[in-house]
Amino acid sequence: GETPEEHAFQARIDAGEKIEPKEWMPEGYRKTLIRQISQHAHSEIVGQLPEGNWITRAPTLERKAILLAKVQDEAGHGLYLYSAAETLGISRDEMTEQLLSGKAKYSSIFNYPTLTWADMGAIGWLVDGAAIMNQVPLQRTSYGPYSRAMIRICKEESFHQRQGFHIMMKMARGTDAQREMAQDALNRFWYPSLMMFGPSDKDSVHSQQSMAWKIKINTNDELRQRFVNETVPQAEFLGLTVPDPDLAWNEEKQGYDFTEPDWSEFYEVLKGNGPCNRERLGARQKAWDDGAWFRDGLTAYAEKAAARRAA
Ligand code: 3HC
C-alpha cells in the first residue's frame, strides 16, 4: 500500500506539478530518473563519435562548419543532462564509471558505423528526427531540471534535423552515385532508428511506472508509430524508398503498417555486441584516461586555493 507521502507525491504528479531537487520523492522515482537522465546524457556524448568521424571529411567548408556546430551542440546537451542528473545525488564521476564499466546504457543507434557522407544526412534526418519525437513530449516531464533541460535541447534539435534533411535532399537530387549513397544510408539507418524508441510496449520494463510518474509521457510504440507516420512522406518527397516491403498506409488507423525492427539484433546491441560498441566505449575510455592529468591539476589547484582561504 501507499504511504501518506507516496500518496501526496502522486497527487502532485497527477496535478501536473513539477518536482524540484530538494522536495520529497519516492526512492524509485529518484532511481528511475537517475537511470534515464544519465543514459540520455551518455547517448548525447557517445553520439558525438559517429558524426565526429566525418568533420575532417566534410565535402565543403560550409558543411564542415554545420557538422562541427551540431557535434558541439551534442556536447552541450550531454552537460545539461549530466547536471540535471547530479541534482538527484549522483556525481559525474559515478555516471562516467557506470558508462565505462558497461553498467549504464546509451542509445543503441550510436553503435552503428558511419560509412559515407550520406550517413551524416541520415543521422540528422532520422536519428535527430526520432530524438525530437521522443524529446518534445519529455519537455512536460514531472522532474523540473529534466523538463527545463529538454526545453532547451529541443530548441537546438530542429536545426540538427533540418541540416540532415538538407544533406539528403542534395544527394537524392544529385548524381546517380549520390542518390545511391542516400538510399544506402536510409537502408542502413531505418530499422536502427526505429529501435531508438525502445522495445515494444509489451516488452517494456519501465513504461507503466514511468508513465504513472510522468517520467515517460507516451509509450514506446506510440512514438515509433508517430515517427513512421511523419518520416515516410519525407522519404517519398526525397524520392527514396523505405526498406520495408510491407510498409502500407492503413486508412482505418490513419497511420502506416510497418515491419518492426529485428528485436534480437536490438538486444544483441544492448548486450554490447553491436558493430561499434567496443570502439565507442574504447573512445570514451581513452578520453577519460587522457584527461586524468587535467582533472588532477584542477583538483590540486582547488585544494591549494581552499588551503589558502583556510590559512
Ligand atoms: N538503446 C539502448 N537502451 C535502450 C533503448 C535503446 N534504443 N531502448 C530501450 N533501452 C533500454 C532501457 O534503458 C531499459 O534498460 P535499463 O533498465 O537498463 O535502463 C530497457 O531497454 C527496457 O526499455 P524500457 O522501454 O522499459 O525503458 P525506458 O522506459 O527507459 O524507455 C527510452 C527507453 C524510450 C529510451 C527512455 O529511456 C527515454 O525516453 N530516454 C530519454 C531519451 C533518450 O535517452 N534518447 C536517446 C536518443 S539519442 C539522443 O537523444 C541524442 C540526439 O541528439 C540524437
Side-chain angles (χ1 to χ4, degrees):
E2 268 186 339
T3 65
E5 295 99 338
E6 283 164 343
H7 186 72
F9 177 83
Q10 192 58 50
R12 293 191 64 201
I13 298 286
D14 297 343
E17 288 183 30
K18 285 286 180 270
I19 308 298
E20 294 301 333
K22 298 262 182 286
E23 295 169 346
W24 188 87
M25 60 183 83
E27 259 325 288
Y29 180 82
R30 180 188 306 279
K31 260 179 80 242
T32 295
L33 281 170
I34 287 175
R35 173 185 64 82
Q36 178 162 327
I37 301 173
S38 63
Q39 292 184 158
H40 197 160
H42 296 328
S43 301
E44 302 284 359
I45 298 302
V46 174
Q48 294 183 286
L49 296 167
E51 292 177 311
N53 182 29
W54 281 90
I55 290 174
T56 56
R57 302 183 172 98
T60 66
L61 188 59
E62 184 207 18
R63 278 286 159 207
K64 182 189 185 113
I66 291 171
L67 186 58
L68 200 52
K70 177 178 189 300
V71 172
Q72 282 171 325
D73 280 351
E74 311 292 4
H77 295 177
L79 298 188
Y80 305 154
L81 289 163
Y82 282 130
S83 300
E86 282 174 315
T87 65
L88 291 155
I90 186 170
S91 74
R92 187 75 58 91
D93 285 1
E94 280 171 282
M95 288 186 270
T96 303
E97 189 276 328
Q98 289 174 355
L99 171 68
L100 298 181
S101 66
K103 260 190 281 192
K105 295 183 168 69
Y106 56 88
S107 192
S108 50
I109 186 71
F110 298 124
N111 289 308
Y112 291 83
T114 47
L115 306 175
T116 74
W117 174 253
D119 289 9
M120 293 305 104
I123 285 180
W125 172 39
L126 299 174
V127 174
D128 288 78
I132 289 171
M133 212 57 80
N134 163 284
Q135 290 171 157
V136 164
L138 275 178
Q139 294 176 110
R140 298 195 311 279
T141 190
S142 58
Y143 187 56
Y146 195 25
S147 162
R148 292 188 288 273
M150 280 295 98
I151 290 166
R152 217 176 133 177
I153 286 173
C154 284
K155 287 188 173 48
E156 294 170 341
E157 286 292 5
S158 45
F159 143 65
H160 296 174
Q161 201 263 359
R162 175 69 52 215
Q163 62 84 36
F165 191 72
H166 279 177
I167 292 174
M168 293 306 275
M169 247 166 49
K170 183 98 180 149
M171 298 189 76
R173 296 174 173 177
T175 64
D176 290 350
Q178 285 177 310
R179 189 166 48 254
E180 276 157 35
M181 281 169 80
Q183 181 62 59
D184 168 58
L186 172 54
N187 293 346
R188 285 184 287 108
F189 276 90
W190 175 254
Y191 287 106
S193 298
L194 298 187
M195 294 177 194
M196 286 172 69
F197 295 97
S200 310
D201 291 348
K202 62 183 181 353
D203 302 324
S204 173
V205 173
H206 304 296
S207 283
Q208 196 196 353
Q209 181 59 69
S210 288
M211 290 183 78
W213 279 332
K214 292 186 186 162
I215 292 174
K216 182 179 275 189
I217 307 298
N218 305 85
T219 74
N220 299 358
D221 288 333
E222 256 175 72
L223 291 181
R224 195 177 356 260
Q225 181 68 61
R226 199 180 292 177
F227 173 74
V228 173
N229 291 349
E230 292 222 352
T231 309
V232 169
Q234 293 170 352
E236 286 167 357
F237 176 81
L238 290 170
L240 299 178
T241 307
V242 170
D244 177 358
D246 296 330
L247 182 74
W249 178 255
N250 180 323
E251 191 59 24
E252 190 205 331
K253 83 176 188 185
Q254 284 298 300
Y256 288 90
D257 291 331
F258 61 95
T259 307
E260 295 246 314
D262 172 355
W263 293 117
S264 62
E265 176 184 328
F266 171 75
Y267 286 110
E268 275 305 298
V269 174
L270 260 54
K271 275 193 333 218
N273 303 325
C276 300
N277 293 58
R278 265 175 290 287
E279 179 187 338
R280 302 293 185 228
L281 276 191
R284 293 314 311 156
Q285 182 68 55
K286 182 175 183 328
W288 174 259
D289 297 340
D290 290 354
W293 68 272
F294 186 69
R295 290 191 302 276
D296 293 349
L298 286 181
T299 309
Y301 177 79
E303 280 159 3
K304 278 205 185 96
R308 268 198 301 278
R309 277 196 302 277

